[in-house]
Amino acid sequence: MSATTSAEHEEHPGRIMSGEMAQQPAVLRRILGEGAPRIREVASAIAAKKPRFVLLTARGSSDNAALYAKYLIEIRLGLPCGLTSMSTTTAYGARPSLADVLVITVSQSGGSPDLVASTQAAREAGAVTLAVTNNPDSPLAAVSEFSIDIMAGPEKALPATKTYTASLMALHLLVEGLRGGEAPAAGRLPELAGRILGRQDEVRALASRYRFAERMVITSRGYGYPTAREAALKLMETSYIPALAYSGADLLHGPLAMVDNVSPVIAVVPDGKGGKALQPVLDRLRGRGADLFVVGPAPQVEAASAGFVLPTEGVPEELQPILEILPLQLLAYEVTIARGQDPDAPRALAKVTETR
């Protein structure tokens, strides 16, 4: 880092991450306008091949986006769907038969060697391969039969923000395209995203509660679970707070024992079936006196210790994750700033992970 850049970071810590978070409404609008026709075209070509099974391949934030796609594919398409264990191919040399299988690889950079190698092996094994990436000229796109550009523009901050929500939107449009339909409700999201991001002062006040937190637990169910995982990742890679993400069902199977009135619990409560499934977990958490922070509908926030009311009226549950993560990105940013750290310079992190 140059002396000038270093001075800018000291004067305005987090300016890159903040700027990229603010771009998200425009990125979502771009995908819906410029990107949707290409996504529909790719979806139609893939649907014609009639895949019988879907495998998702990703790392980091893209892995959480892939988990969101898993829910979409299983619920909206009724297709069995799994997450790839890449080391079975890249480290152990396994070559499973993948005829009639759709392999979707999600990667912001499209340059991670293990993702490229795994996708190449899948194609050689007979899979239909699709790259969902922010770099249409990447090695990943080159080895894939099909590719989708998430159109987020250059992302310089190490914590992924706009590429995450762009990936969610692209994957949603893909799945709707595979169903032979469109996604009219998605058109509201850019405006709603702008409204949420405009409430940063509200999040800053909430963040002061967690400045000295030693750990956090984040939970959800259904479509909200990928959001919980992504929020935990954002908190850990910016503020270095150990953040554990659990499905609400898994939280009740043992980890609930570590919850007390000191360590904060963040609950992502979808407005729909996922939120109803999470209700017994919320009841148990309140019964244990947990410091409960809720992102979700107003009645759930009012029943918690603190929270952020999400504008979900008229937004289908499967689209809510694109909005749910926004206040949690802001929270990670504001907690990091409150702790005197720079979210633009998390230690020991790199944009492209060189794993095999």
Side-chain angles (χ1 to χ4, degrees):
M1 183 181 295
S2 70
T4 301
T5 306
S6 193
E8 288 174 348
H9 275 288
E10 290 176 8
E11 187 177 351
H12 303 290
R15 64 184 181 83
I16 301 175
M17 181 181 178
S18 178
E20 290 179 352
M21 286 191 294
Q23 293 173 27
Q24 291 176 103
V27 171
L28 296 175
R29 203 170 284 113
R30 187 183 308 132
I31 297 170
L32 288 167
E34 299 174 31
R38 167 63 180 168
I39 294 173
R40 282 195 295 268
E41 177 185 324
V42 169
S44 178
I46 291 173
K49 294 177 179 287
K50 299 182 178 179
R52 60 181 174 83
F53 192 91
V54 182
L55 283 174
L56 293 151
T57 306
R59 295 284 194 204
S61 285
S62 294
D63 197 33
N64 298 325
L67 181 59
Y68 166 71
K70 185 176 188 295
Y71 278 89
L72 286 175
I73 290 163
E74 291 181 347
I75 296 169
R76 304 288 287 170
L77 298 181
L79 285 176
C81 183
L83 299 174
T84 303
S85 299
M86 277 174 282
S87 63
T88 61
T89 298
T90 60
Y92 292 91
R95 292 294 184 268
S97 173
L98 297 177
D100 301 323
V101 175
L102 169 61
V103 172
I104 302 174
T105 305
V106 186
S107 171
Q108 176 227 320
S109 69
S112 296
D114 59 342
L115 296 174
V116 175
S118 178
T119 302
Q120 178 69 53
R123 189 170 183 181
E124 292 171 356
V128 177
T129 52
L130 167 65
V132 178
T133 177
N134 196 40
N135 183 359
D137 298 319
S138 64
L140 176 63
V143 301
S144 300
E145 183 177 358
F146 299 99
S147 66
I148 288 173
D149 181 2
I150 65 172
M151 308 183 76
E155 187 171 60
K156 297 179 181 178
L158 285 170
T161 54
K162 63 178 181 175
T163 53
Y164 179 73
T165 49
S167 295
L168 298 192
M169 179 64 85
L171 289 163
H172 175 78
L173 293 175
L174 171 71
V175 170
E176 291 307 297
L178 290 170
R179 295 177 69 235
E182 297 191 9
R188 296 187 57 213
L189 296 189
E191 187 268 332
L192 291 174
R195 283 168 47 189
I196 291 169
L197 292 168
R199 294 162 62 188
Q200 188 162 357
D201 288 347
E202 180 182 338
V203 177
R204 185 176 299 121
L206 290 166
S208 64
R209 296 170 57 93
Y210 309 115
R211 178 179 179 182
F212 300 107
E214 295 184 359
R215 72 175 183 215
M216 289 188 180
V217 173
I218 308 178
T219 189
S220 188
R221 292 205 67 183
Y223 284 113
Y225 179 46
T227 306
R229 288 170 52 113
E230 175 64 9
L233 178 60
K234 286 285 114 21
L235 282 162
M236 287 189 287
E237 68 185 356
T238 56
S239 69
Y240 318 136
I241 297 173
L244 306 173
Y246 292 100
S247 157
D250 288 333
L251 185 61
L252 295 183
H253 283 79
L256 186 69
M258 71 177 173
V259 174
D260 52 29
N261 61 358
V262 176
S263 299
V265 178
I266 297 174
V268 179
V269 185
D271 188 3
K273 294 179 180 179
K276 291 177 182 177
L278 189 64
Q279 189 59 54
V281 182
L282 299 174
D283 294 340
R284 290 284 297 277
L285 288 169
R286 293 188 186 104
R288 293 184 64 86
D291 179 359
L292 183 61
F293 179 108
V294 164
V295 174
Q300 293 288 359
V301 173
E302 291 164 4
S305 308
F308 186 98
V309 176
L310 206 67
T312 56
E313 185 176 352
V315 179
E317 186 177 355
E318 64 269 16
L319 280 170
Q320 291 174 25
I322 299 173
L323 302 178
E324 289 166 350
I325 191 58
L326 300 176
L328 294 168
Q329 290 174 349
L330 291 173
L331 183 68
Y333 171 88
E334 293 294 348
V335 168
T336 304
I337 296 295
R339 289 163 71 94
Q341 297 157 194
D342 185 354
D344 285 343
R347 56 188 180 230
L349 290 181
K351 245 355 209 178
V352 180
T353 305
E354 301 285 345
T355 53
R356 293 292 298 182

